[in-house]
Amino acid sequence: MGGRRAAALAVSIVTALALGACGSDDGGTDPSGTETSSKAPTDSPTDAPTDSLTASPTEPLLVPEGEDVEPASGPRLDVSDIRVNIPQGWKQNFDSFAVDSALGRVDGKSGGVLLSVVPTGGDVLTPEQAESYFWTRGRKPQNYQKQDDIVMGGLTSGYYTARDKSYDMHAATLWEDNHVTKVQLNFDHDVPDEVQEELFQSVVASYSSERMRL
């Protein structure tokens, strides 16, 4: 369990660096993660969930792909051999062993992608634990809304949305092969909902892991 806490702390540190780098875009706040204030939902697993570890874990379920979604075809983010592509025209602005991030514009408004991947040290996480792994002190993000599960890399993945005073958030979470992963997109409120959903789904559709490349 100590290893998981150390990994969570490491991600918290590199995420803070990534979010700081994002804040320099156009001189504004951070569009690839969330605001760094205490009120904003951030990707900081300083207190990774430890409850229910003795419960029966649920292995990721291989499922057929749903309706066709054109995968994003921009530059690739790669953390621990887990990869997603960002939308065309967006640019990676942070690269580390646990967190990659990228920034872009959507009709003149800010958008961002955050890929976070952490090994779980042999622990098999339930979908609920995977979803909450990166929450600060286990607290749900502001205006959290659980959405129907989606397919990411042929596996069932949790999906939730949230909204703070600056950004709308879309996050997909998954435990696979001893790693917990979150793919998060953030948008200015003025970006239409259907555009947010389309870009989120395109990034998720580009997901690949070592399992898929064997």
Side-chain angles (χ1 to χ4, degrees):
M1 194 62 63
R4 288 188 62 207
R5 290 185 178 276
L9 179 59
V11 172
S12 178
I13 294 171
V14 297
T15 300
L17 295 174
L19 298 184
C22 295
S24 64
D25 179 57
D26 295 333
T29 53
D30 160 36
S32 74
T34 50
E35 287 189 303
T36 54
S37 70
S38 61
K39 294 183 179 180
T42 58
D43 192 3
S44 320
T46 52
D47 289 299
T50 57
D51 59 324
S52 304
L53 285 178
T54 57
S56 298
T58 302
E59 296 280 357
L61 176 63
L62 279 167
V63 296
E65 295 289 350
E67 61 182 272
D68 291 336
V69 176
E70 189 70 25
S73 56
R76 184 173 67 195
L77 305 183
D78 187 336
V79 180
S80 298
D81 284 329
I82 291 176
R83 304 170 181 172
V84 296
N85 287 60
I86 61 178
Q88 282 284 358
W90 293 29
K91 295 182 179 180
Q92 183 172 356
N93 74 314
F94 191 82
D95 182 6
S96 77
F97 68 94
V99 177
D100 280 3
S101 66
L103 298 173
R105 307 294 287 178
V106 184
D107 295 330
K109 305 299 180 180
S110 297
V113 179
L114 194 70
L115 172 65
S116 305
V117 183
V118 177
T120 55
D123 290 331
V124 179
L125 302 188
T126 66
E128 292 77 14
Q129 289 168 337
E131 179 176 279
S132 62
Y133 193 93
F134 295 100
W135 293 350
T136 303
R137 298 182 182 87
R139 292 197 298 264
K140 293 179 180 178
Q142 294 181 49
N143 300 303
Y144 164 95
Q145 288 189 342
K146 175 65 177 175
Q147 307 294 335
D148 292 339
D149 289 346
I150 59 175
V151 177
M152 187 161 68
L155 303 176
T156 53
S157 173
Y159 172 30
Y160 67 87
T161 57
R163 180 185 178 97
D164 67 8
K165 65 181 181 180
S166 299
Y167 297 106
D168 291 329
M169 174 200 302
H170 298 255
T173 57
L174 179 68
W175 180 89
E176 177 189 2
D177 191 25
N178 199 36
H179 287 81
V180 59
T181 298
K182 180 166 79 166
V183 178
Q184 176 181 316
L185 272 73
N186 281 53
F187 301 95
D188 281 349
H189 296 321
D190 291 338
V191 178
D193 291 345
E194 61 272 17
V195 176
Q196 295 187 25
E197 181 69 19
E198 179 181 358
L199 290 173
F200 170 72
Q201 292 292 347
S202 73
V203 172
V204 166
S206 72
Y207 174 98
S208 70
S209 65
E210 189 174 8
R211 161 188 60 83
M212 301 169 66
R213 299 187 292 271
L214 293 177

